[in-house]
Amino acid sequence: LPASGVEMPAAYKGWRVKSFEVRGLEQGMARRLVNGLALAQSTGVLGTGDPTLYAETFAEDIERTALFLARRGYPYASIRAEYDAAPRKRTLGITLVIDPGPAVTTAAVAVAGVPDPFADEARRRVEMKPERVFTDAAAVKAGEDIRSLLRDNGYADATVETKLEWQDTTAVAVTFAATPGPRYRFGEKIVKGASDDLIGLVQKSVEADRGEWYSPRDILRSRDNLRLLDLFRQVQVQTRPGGPDTLDTVSDLIQAEPRSLEVGLGYWTDDLIRARARWMHRNLFRRGRGFSIGGSASKFNQKANASAWWPAFVGARTRAAVTYKLERQDEDNYKLLHTGLELSLTYQYSIRTTARTAVEVSNNDLDVSPEFSEELDVEDGRLTVLSLRLARTASDDRLYPTKGTVSWIDILWAPPPESASDNHFVSVEASVTGYRSLMAGMVLAARVRAGAVEPIATSVDVIPNYRFYSGGASSMRGFKRRRLGPRDSAGDPIGGETKVEAAAEVRVPLVWRLRGALFIDTGQVWGRSNDTDLSQLE
């Protein structure tokens, strides 16, 4: 490669690299190149240190640069280095000056060996076009797309070879030659490692029905379905020959301990001391039907609940549940005893995306202070709430995310008639949180949350436990718990019908598992929806 002649001056060995730049490439390509070079990265615990220049590191970065360019269609690129040295400080800046040279272009693209029913689709999946710059990534992707097309339609052993024929030094003809092999259908569903009462549930969760064409996507979905049951600590779903044109699915499982007990005791700035406990049996009623009982207690809120569930209720990824709830709220200006029975159905569209619909019938015994009653006209009694929750977790880690998003939306409806509820309202609340990695292990996290609730039918105001509040350690951190927004004449929060919150923070690794964060929050709660005014954000 032309880059092999680029060498680091021996006199600069051990100097610190204060800056690193690339000239001669378009901005996006230059940025991607710099992000992959060792001498362009900061060092140290907080990412504030400068890399040290050594001949080995310099040579490896030059090789990376040449390979980066060749894979993007510029194998004839020339590279030279310029130095801006400060001898007294033993520091320097490095600039790689790149002349990409002539690009290798795609002269022609062909697809061969794909069965006729899928040939047109295979050609459509190839994004490489004549006269465009040839890149390794585009060729690899096209080959994988054709192979996936064949495998998804029953050709389990399909292979695709990429053949290049040089027309001259800067043009190449590309042929994707497929070897489909035999076409398979699914056969029997074989289950290993599951108790007899769970075999039917496992077979229902495996989406590889007899007679359907083989597809690796069905195997992956079946694996996810079994993991979502939360009954097994090891899940493997594979295929094995079941005949000349059939593949049996083999679910090889190791069952988890069905019983678990969780207890916790901690201090939280909002609730002071908080305790919780939960006992669960994942297969108490056999066939994966489980039961749990638990509760939590803090200064302001005490909860207890008992729940039973039925997995794969109407499909492999559905779960029905019935839950009895008992909750006591002890706030500054009201006390509430909430008892209810909820029926829910959850659909796990994927590992990341969930939809949950429910109906809860409850009784609410409400005791409000005189100051609260002057502000709001609410009644206790019966309450029927229909709810829908859509949630998606698209972050890379549930505990310490560094990229991706987490989002959800809740829709609640307490409908007429009077025979169903003494309170009627419609509520919508949504939240989006995004994460992005920064240098030296730092992470930028940003969140926006907004909600609105409106009394309907004969209701004048919304019952306090369904109003919006803000302020506290997991909300608007510049205010104490629930202290942002409308208050009664005694200065106690009464909540509101609309809420907006936003936050941004930079998370910094410190030592061991400790992390710090620099954050800014903003938000507001408005008593009436028509009073909403974003200029009043705190």
Side-chain angles (χ1 to χ4, degrees):
L1 293 173
S4 62
V6 183
E7 296 182 359
M8 181 199 82
Y12 295 147
K13 179 181 177 180
W15 288 30
R16 288 182 293 116
V17 180
K18 299 294 292 184
S19 64
F20 194 101
E21 299 180 6
V22 171
R23 290 206 312 259
L25 300 178
E26 61 92 9
Q27 187 175 3
M29 183 181 290
R31 183 169 55 250
R32 289 191 294 274
L33 171 59
V34 168
N35 288 339
L37 299 181
L39 291 176
Q41 310 306 315
S42 299
T43 61
V45 176
L46 298 180
T48 57
D50 299 321
T52 302
L53 184 60
Y54 294 105
E56 296 82 359
T57 308
F58 182 83
E60 289 171 358
D61 273 356
I62 295 299
E63 289 180 7
R64 290 190 187 101
T65 300
L67 185 59
F68 174 91
L69 296 168
R71 286 179 170 173
R72 284 156 179 78
Y74 298 96
Y76 307 114
S78 63
I79 306 168
R80 62 184 177 87
E82 295 181 352
Y83 308 93
D84 181 14
R88 291 186 178 180
K89 298 181 179 179
R90 291 179 59 81
T91 63
L92 77 162
I94 299 177
T95 301
L96 292 186
V97 182
I98 298 174
D99 178 4
V104 174
T105 59
T106 304
V109 180
V111 177
V114 176
D116 290 342
F118 312 108
D120 289 342
E121 176 63 21
R123 283 188 282 268
R124 281 194 293 269
R125 292 197 179 191
V126 177
E127 298 178 0
M128 299 179 67
K129 304 298 180 185
E131 307 303 325
R132 293 185 182 177
V133 176
F134 175 89
T135 66
D136 284 3
V140 171
K141 181 179 183 301
E144 287 297 322
D145 287 346
I146 296 172
R147 182 171 178 266
S148 295
L149 171 65
L150 294 172
R151 286 171 56 83
D152 288 339
N153 286 278
Y155 298 96
D157 302 325
T159 60
V160 178
E161 181 183 1
T162 303
K163 298 181 178 180
L164 306 180
E165 182 180 350
W166 289 89
Q167 308 297 300
D168 56 42
T169 57
T170 60
V172 62
V174 186
T175 301
F176 297 99
T179 304
R183 195 178 188 192
Y184 295 95
R185 294 182 185 272
F186 283 120
E188 295 184 23
K189 298 179 182 179
I190 300 170
V191 180
K192 297 180 179 181
S195 58
D196 292 342
D197 68 297
L198 293 178
I199 290 178
L201 177 61
V202 172
Q203 291 176 334
K204 186 175 182 179
S205 300
V206 174
E207 299 185 18
D209 295 332
R210 176 185 286 274
E212 292 185 352
W213 292 115
Y214 163 85
S215 171
R217 288 181 297 182
D218 291 337
I219 300 298
L220 292 175
R221 282 183 59 85
S222 300
R223 190 180 303 155
D224 290 343
N225 292 348
L226 293 173
R227 287 171 178 164
L228 291 171
L229 292 175
D230 198 24
L231 294 169
F232 309 101
R233 61 185 177 89
Q234 179 175 306
V235 174
Q236 290 184 348
V237 182
Q238 299 172 331
T239 60
R240 72 180 187 189
D245 59 353
T246 61
L247 293 173
D248 295 337
T249 57
V250 181
S251 303
D252 196 353
L253 311 168
I254 298 178
Q255 288 187 212
E257 168 59 45
R259 291 173 293 271
S260 64
L261 176 64
E262 301 174 2
V263 294
L265 181 66
Y267 178 84
W268 195 250
T269 53
D270 287 349
D271 298 333
L272 304 180
I273 300 298
R274 180 192 297 174
R276 64 177 179 84
R278 184 189 188 202
W279 178 86
M280 177 169 58
H281 194 305
R282 296 176 179 83
N283 196 30
L284 182 64
F285 305 115
R286 316 297 285 174
R287 299 181 184 178
R289 293 172 293 190
F291 177 80
S292 70
I293 185 169
S296 63
S298 67
K299 176 181 178 181
F300 303 103
N301 195 292
Q302 301 87 45
K303 295 180 180 180
N305 62 73
S307 180
W309 59 87
W310 188 337
F313 183 68
V314 293
R317 294 198 173 194
T318 62
R319 176 180 296 239
V322 55
T323 304
Y324 176 76
K325 301 178 180 180
L326 175 64
E327 180 178 4
R328 181 177 179 272
Q329 295 184 15
D330 189 358
E331 300 293 343
D332 294 328
N333 50 5
Y334 75 86
K335 291 179 174 60
L336 175 71
L337 182 63
H338 172 95
T339 57
L341 186 68
E342 180 189 72
L343 300 176
S344 66
L345 181 66
T346 302
Y347 174 59
Q348 192 86 31
Y349 177 77
S350 68
I351 292 292
R352 297 178 178 273
T353 305
T354 304
R356 182 181 186 273
T357 182
V359 55
E360 181 183 2
V361 180
S362 65
N363 183 74
N364 295 270
D365 186 2
L366 182 64
D367 181 16
V368 301
S369 67
E371 294 84 1
F372 186 96
S373 62
E374 291 177 1
E375 298 289 340
L376 299 178
D377 182 8
V378 295
E379 298 182 2
D380 55 8
R382 296 160 299 175
L383 188 62
T384 299
V385 178
L386 306 178
S387 63
L388 173 66
R389 181 180 179 89
L390 303 175
R392 177 169 174 78
T393 301
S395 59
D396 60 338
D397 189 285
R398 291 181 180 271
L399 293 179
Y400 302 112
T402 61
K403 61 180 178 180
T405 59
V406 176
S407 56
W408 53 262
I409 180 170
D410 283 336
I411 303 174
L412 308 178
W413 179 35
E418 298 297 324
S419 58
S421 292
D422 295 311
N423 292 274
H424 313 285
F425 60 86
V426 175
S427 174
V428 178
E429 186 177 13
S431 174
V432 178
T433 305
Y435 305 92
R436 182 172 182 177
S437 295
L438 303 177
M439 61 181 182
M442 294 188 292
V443 176
L444 172 65
R447 176 185 54 122
V448 177
R449 180 178 297 177
V453 59
E454 188 79 19
I456 60 174
T458 59
S459 294
V460 177
D461 290 301
V462 179
I463 191 168
N465 54 320
Y466 285 95
R467 297 175 69 81
F468 293 112
Y469 302 87
S470 186
S474 59
S475 176
M476 175 70 169
R477 287 166 282 193
F479 289 77
K480 292 184 178 180
R481 180 180 179 274
R482 291 192 169 195
R483 292 294 166 173
L484 176 60
R487 304 190 190 186
D488 59 25
S489 58
D492 296 322
I494 60 174
E497 294 181 356
T498 56
K499 176 182 77 170
V500 173
E501 291 179 348
E505 65 184 42
V506 176
R507 301 174 179 178
V508 182
L510 299 178
V511 294
W512 191 50
R513 296 187 180 183
L514 299 180
R515 290 169 170 80
L518 177 67
F519 64 85
I520 181 170
D521 296 344
T522 184
Q524 187 58 275
V525 175
W526 294 270
R528 300 291 181 183
S529 57
N530 54 11
D531 292 335
T532 304
D533 182 358
L534 295 181
S535 67
Q536 297 174 353
L537 291 175
E538 296 281 1

